[in-house]
Amino acid sequence: MPTAYSVMLAVHAKKTESVDLKSPLLSYIKTTYSDGEAQEANDDLSTIQQLRTEVSLASANATQPGMRDNLGKYFRCLTAIENRFPISKEKGHAAIAFTWFDAFRPSKKSTQHNIHFEKAAVLFNMAAVTSQQGLACDRTTAEGLQQACKLFQEAAGCFLLLREGEAAKTDTPRPTDLTPECVTVMEKLMLAQAQECIYHKALADKKTPSTVARLAKQVQLMYDDTERAFNAPALAAYFDKSWAAHAGLKASLYDVETLCQVARSLHAEDKIAAEVAVLREAFARLQATKKLAKAQGADMVESVNRVQESLTTSLTRAEKDNNTIYLQRVPPFAEAGASGVQGALLVKAAPPASLDASNPDGLNLFSHLIPDSSAKALSRYTDMVDGVMREARDALANATDTARIRLKEWELPESLEALDPRTAPNNGSIAALPPALLSELSEIESIGGVGHLKGILAEIGQVRKGVDGDLSSASAALETDAQEDGEARALHGEQWRIPPPASAAKPYWDRISQFRTSMAKAAESDGGVLRRLDENEAGFAGLNVAQAALKMPRLQAPMVAVGPEDPAAVVASLRRGLATLEALSSERAGMEEALRDVKTKDNILPKLMGTAPQTVDALFAAEIKKYDAIRADIAKNGAAQAEALAGVERDNKVFRAVFDVPGWRAACEEAAKGLRAEVRSFKELLDHCSEGLRFYLGMAEVVSRTKQETDDFLFTRRVQREEMKAEIERRARKDEDEVLARRMQMAGLGGNAPPPTPAGPAYPQPPPGAQRAQQAPP
């Protein structure tokens, strides 16, 4: 049966229509070169045509041995074609139309006269086939986990190559499954599944809980990232909702698993109180996981329920140990040392070696059409371009990081947002909320606030009703048994030798009494929780970011200016500086896109093949200059940002002094005290509710077990009563037979045996006086 841990996803391969590669390419070679060159290339073209036919079956034969090798060979063949033969609708080019269907919307198809479209589709299918083979591995064994992890990383590598290379070179509009957004989310999904295999391998190898916790944390982070990518605007309406739901369930499940592993680590260190705090938090978060599992089907719900059972057992044990042995104060979760777990990334995208054009694998196509010197020269130029790209990207990244760090140090633009008149009087400024309080309020708001508490209490009520019903049912059954035993005992007297229910059923009555006492105490506790909720519900309703911001003091201009600076002018100058920085940031994003576009279009192979060897260096020097304009713009942008940052720093110092920002921050901290108290009360009540739910779930289990044991006991008692009744009736019939035999002897009828007793019920014995009267002589 599939579980929330075992279910993984694979990608379906794209389907295609048949294409005649050989005839157009052969015609081009004859026209451009000669009939002799065409004759020499005939066998190579036949090989490529056959490979194309084989790889077109990838959607139906994904797990067939050799399919990945064929895809790799065909991809390298396409690379050989790309570097030698132009394919397009233009006159004098080879006119080949490639048609492929969308992998996720098979009814949609696209056709392009572009070799890169064909290469992109082959890369996509290589990734799809690799993911399906990874899914087919036996992940219950160490070897199967290793193989699946390797295949998922290779699938991610294919998507990486597709995103960074061929997809950008296809004609627009390109199919959705070949867009950067779609390819990126598939790459993220494959890497998350590879990391998940690493986690399961670590569990199988019995690695330390702290190590396993870091691996689980990384899995959670990667599935979180994947879910966000699925829900991005560009893909939200494209993929079926089950893709994002799957990633969300995985992320939530491994969030809980991280805490469970941290708890095991704390247990090993005898930090039992901290273990209890972490397990309680894990239990609370697991409730959200259960909601996500319901959307995935009954198997997922059952799987998560098993996780909850294991978690409940661990928590009960830890609480018992702490209450009876360690006697430590259970700290809040934030102080338990579990929130700082860092993920351990152990996977990366690794394209299969079969895609590497430097690995010919017996293929040496069209070697007579391109000289080796041209290939080597092209590689040298590529290295030059890579160096320029690396330098430019580093400069752009450094500029962005510098601006972000400096603005964070200066509390910008948050300080200006707090001053914005649009935030008053009916709106509050989030910037006024202390960061820690903002985080806590966001967390409370994310779980549903007071509605979440009511939901837990409603679930408690349902579970309690079930427990009360089981206790009442068991009590009624025991009372019925006692009544039936009393009636039989009164009828048969000393012949009724079954143990009385007062002693036989005492253990069950004792347990029921104990359970009722516990339930009564729990009811008192429930009442206290409900009273606290009623008392604080109005305050709890305000524990959200928007309403909390309303309670914060507003940053305002001084009533009377005490310095030469005009407050309005200071604010305007600071806003202009921030706007300049924003414009420079947007400009850098455009530069990076322009840089990629230049590299994408930078194909000097046709020029290189027509250039004499002695002039290759001059060609490279001329071609590399196409990057000079962007490099100059990047340098100019960096200088402009440095100047803008200096101006913002000066204006911010004046702004903080004129508007007394430190004093405002202190006032915000003072105003936040009441909210922090409400937050503490909410968390305490949430802990009580979660503890109550755990209690009732545990009570439901033991009461259900006791009811079953009681039913078994009463069944045995019924069998014993039936057997005793049968024994008493047998003895009565025997006594009647003996009395009848004596009467017959006394009447002189001989010693013959009496007639057989009727099969029906025996008559009761006559009273003793009646027997004596019958035996007296006439």
Side-chain angles (χ1 to χ4, degrees):
M1 182 181 71
T3 68
Y5 286 106
S6 66
V7 171
M8 292 186 181
L9 302 179
V11 184
H12 290 295
K14 294 169 69 69
K15 294 182 180 179
T16 185
E17 293 181 351
S18 59
V19 173
D20 179 12
L21 288 170
K22 183 176 180 180
S23 299
L25 291 178
L26 201 59
S27 176
Y28 174 84
I29 295 172
K30 288 180 180 179
T31 303
T32 306
Y33 297 98
S34 65
D35 290 343
E37 296 284 359
Q39 182 64 34
E40 191 171 351
N42 185 69
D43 291 340
D44 290 342
L45 291 173
S46 297
T47 300
I48 295 174
Q49 186 69 61
Q50 179 61 31
L51 278 173
R52 215 283 176 178
T53 302
E54 293 174 0
V55 301
S56 66
L57 304 176
S59 60
N61 303 321
T63 58
Q64 177 181 337
M67 179 54 70
R68 286 213 310 156
D69 290 338
N70 287 339
L71 285 164
K73 288 179 181 179
Y74 182 59
F75 183 82
R76 296 198 303 276
C77 289
L78 292 174
T79 301
I81 292 174
E82 173 193 356
N83 292 336
R84 290 163 175 83
F85 315 124
I87 296 177
S88 72
K89 294 181 180 180
E90 295 181 16
K91 184 178 180 180
H93 290 187
I96 303 176
F98 301 102
T99 300
W100 288 89
F101 293 83
D102 193 295
F104 305 100
R105 301 288 180 90
S107 61
K108 296 183 178 181
K109 69 177 180 178
S110 300
T111 300
Q112 294 187 16
H113 293 73
N114 187 339
I115 190 68
H116 298 291
F117 181 58
E118 179 80 345
K119 292 181 70 177
V122 172
L123 272 180
F124 187 100
N125 278 4
M126 173 66 92
V129 167
T130 304
S131 71
Q132 292 181 45
Q133 292 183 2
L135 196 65
C137 292
D138 182 9
R139 299 192 305 278
T140 62
T141 66
E143 295 78 8
L145 283 171
Q146 288 179 331
Q147 182 64 15
C149 180
K150 177 177 179 292
L151 289 169
F152 285 137
Q153 289 181 85
E154 290 185 355
C158 292
F159 285 122
L160 174 64
L161 284 181
L162 177 56
R163 172 170 58 86
E164 294 185 345
E166 302 304 327
K169 300 175 184 178
T170 59
D171 298 339
T172 55
R174 57 180 61 92
T176 305
D177 59 351
L178 296 182
T179 59
E181 294 82 4
C182 181
V183 175
T184 298
V185 74
M186 290 294 104
E187 178 187 351
K188 291 178 183 293
L189 176 62
M190 294 299 109
L191 286 177
Q193 295 186 160
Q195 179 77 16
E196 191 175 2
C197 291
I198 295 287
Y199 162 80
H200 287 299
K201 180 66 165 55
L203 277 184
D205 293 343
K206 301 187 184 313
K207 299 293 184 182
T208 61
S210 59
T211 299
V212 177
R214 293 188 63 196
L215 295 174
K217 182 64 176 179
Q218 187 63 41
V219 175
Q220 179 234 324
L221 294 174
M222 296 175 80
Y223 273 117
D224 265 338
D225 194 19
T226 303
E227 182 188 19
R228 285 193 296 271
F230 274 121
N231 289 325
L235 299 177
Y238 175 67
F239 281 99
D240 185 84
K241 298 298 182 184
S242 60
W243 289 85
H246 170 82
L249 175 60
K250 287 279 191 177
S252 181
L253 188 66
Y254 278 99
D255 183 32
V256 173
E257 185 62 21
T258 300
L259 294 181
C260 291
Q261 294 298 333
V262 170
R264 292 188 180 97
S265 179
L266 292 171
H267 182 81
E269 299 171 6
D270 287 338
K271 297 179 180 178
I272 305 303
E275 178 192 6
V276 171
V278 173
L279 287 174
R280 286 176 179 175
E281 179 67 17
F283 186 91
R285 295 186 186 183
L286 188 61
Q287 307 315 305
T289 308
K290 290 175 65 177
K291 294 179 181 179
L292 295 174
K294 289 179 181 179
Q296 299 290 304
D299 290 341
M300 297 300 101
V301 174
E302 183 176 352
S303 173
V304 175
N305 284 339
R306 288 198 297 271
V307 175
Q308 178 170 291
E309 292 173 4
S310 175
L311 180 56
T312 302
T313 301
S314 300
L315 179 56
T316 303
R317 173 192 51 74
E319 289 178 332
K320 180 180 179 182
D321 290 348
N322 190 52
N323 292 335
T324 58
I325 301 174
Y326 295 90
L327 305 177
Q328 299 174 355
R329 182 186 72 86
V330 177
F333 170 72
E335 301 173 11
S339 57
V341 178
Q342 299 294 322
L345 178 62
L346 298 183
V347 297
K348 64 178 181 180
S354 60
L355 295 176
D356 187 357
S358 64
N359 176 26
D361 191 23
L363 293 174
N364 190 20
L365 304 174
F366 315 117
S367 57
H368 57 287
L369 296 179
I370 298 180
D372 185 60
S373 59
S374 297
K376 291 180 179 179
L378 181 62
S379 177
R380 189 155 53 90
Y381 177 75
T382 301
D383 291 340
M384 293 172 61
V385 172
D386 289 343
V388 171
M389 293 289 293
R390 192 181 310 111
E391 178 185 345
R393 284 172 174 165
D394 288 347
L396 291 170
N398 289 337
T400 300
D401 291 343
T402 299
R404 177 177 52 81
I405 293 171
R406 299 293 294 278
L407 291 177
K408 186 175 181 63
E409 292 173 354
W410 300 334
E411 295 184 305
L412 292 174
E414 290 80 10
S415 298
L416 281 179
E417 290 174 357
L419 188 65
D420 193 333
R422 288 173 296 179
T423 64
N426 298 321
N427 297 310
S429 173
I430 296 177
L433 292 171
L437 178 59
L438 177 61
S439 176
E440 290 180 318
L441 291 172
S442 299
E443 180 181 354
I444 291 173
E445 193 170 357
S446 69
I447 65 174
V450 69
H452 182 60
L453 296 179
K454 292 181 178 180
I456 296 178
L457 290 173
E459 187 174 357
I460 286 175
Q462 293 177 355
V463 177
R464 180 183 178 88
K465 183 178 179 181
V467 172
D468 288 339
D470 286 347
L471 289 175
S472 298
S473 176
S475 299
L478 288 172
E479 290 172 355
T480 300
D481 175 76
Q483 180 181 353
E484 293 177 355
D485 183 88
E487 293 172 354
R489 198 173 297 278
L491 177 63
H492 300 292
E494 295 182 354
Q495 297 182 80
W496 192 257
R497 295 191 297 274
I498 294 178
S503 59
K506 186 176 183 304
Y508 302 97
W509 281 113
D510 289 345
R511 273 193 273 177
I512 290 174
S513 176
Q514 179 185 359
F515 294 152
R516 290 193 183 281
T517 301
S518 297
M519 291 291 286
K521 292 180 179 179
E524 294 178 3
S525 178
D526 293 346
V529 170
L530 288 172
R531 284 193 298 275
R532 286 188 62 187
L533 180 58
D534 289 340
E535 294 169 358
N536 294 280
E537 183 172 357
F540 290 167
L543 292 181
N544 59 71
V545 174
Q547 294 191 40
L550 291 174
K551 301 177 182 179
M552 293 292 103
R554 184 183 164 215
L555 183 62
Q556 295 179 335
M559 297 296 294
V560 178
V562 296
E565 299 86 359
D566 179 8
V570 171
V571 172
S573 179
L574 190 55
R575 289 190 188 281
R576 284 195 299 271
L578 292 178
T580 299
L581 291 175
E582 182 66 26
L584 291 171
S585 177
S586 300
E587 187 179 285
R588 285 195 296 274
M591 290 176 182
E592 189 167 1
E593 182 65 30
L595 200 62
R596 285 195 296 266
D597 188 56
V598 171
K599 184 180 179 182
T600 299
K601 297 177 180 178
D602 189 11
N603 180 18
I604 68 166
L605 180 60
K607 294 182 180 179
L608 181 61
M609 294 179 63
T611 301
Q614 61 272 21
T615 61
V616 167
D617 290 338
L619 173 65
F620 289 172
E623 291 293 326
I624 205 69
K625 287 182 179 179
K626 62 171 65 80
Y627 297 92
D628 288 349
I630 296 180
R631 296 169 68 185
D633 289 341
I634 292 173
K636 183 179 178 181
N637 180 278
Q641 176 175 280
E643 183 179 351
L645 285 172
V648 169
E649 183 176 16
R650 288 192 304 270
D651 292 341
N652 189 56
K653 288 180 179 179
V654 177
F655 171 80
R656 292 177 67 85
V658 170
F659 288 84
D660 189 21
V661 174
W664 170 70
R665 283 295 184 192
C668 290
E669 287 290 340
E670 186 66 25
K673 289 182 179 179
L675 287 171
R676 288 194 174 99
E678 290 286 353
V679 168
R680 284 195 298 272
S681 297
F682 180 90
K683 289 187 173 181
E684 289 174 2
L685 200 56
L686 178 60
D687 289 341
H688 287 320
C689 291
S690 298
E691 182 180 357
L693 181 58
R694 291 193 297 272
F695 166 79
Y696 281 110
L697 289 173
M699 181 63 74
E701 182 180 353
V702 297
V703 168
S704 176
R705 187 163 57 246
T706 298
K707 181 178 180 298
Q708 182 61 49
E709 293 174 0
T710 303
D711 291 343
D712 295 343
F713 163 74
L714 294 177
F715 176 78
T716 302
R717 293 270 297 174
R718 285 194 294 272
V719 172
Q720 289 176 345
R721 284 198 297 271
E722 294 300 326
E723 291 178 349
M724 180 58 68
K725 288 178 182 178
E727 176 64 19
I728 291 173
E729 291 175 356
R730 186 186 63 77
R731 290 177 182 174
R733 287 196 298 270
K734 181 178 179 182
D735 291 345
E736 289 177 0
D737 291 344
E738 291 176 354
V739 169
L740 182 59
R742 287 195 300 271
R743 289 176 180 174
M744 293 177 67
Q745 288 178 353
M746 294 174 62
L749 297 179
N752 294 332
T757 304
Y763 288 99
Q765 286 184 308
Q771 292 181 11
R772 288 194 298 272
Q774 291 173 3
Q775 294 173 3

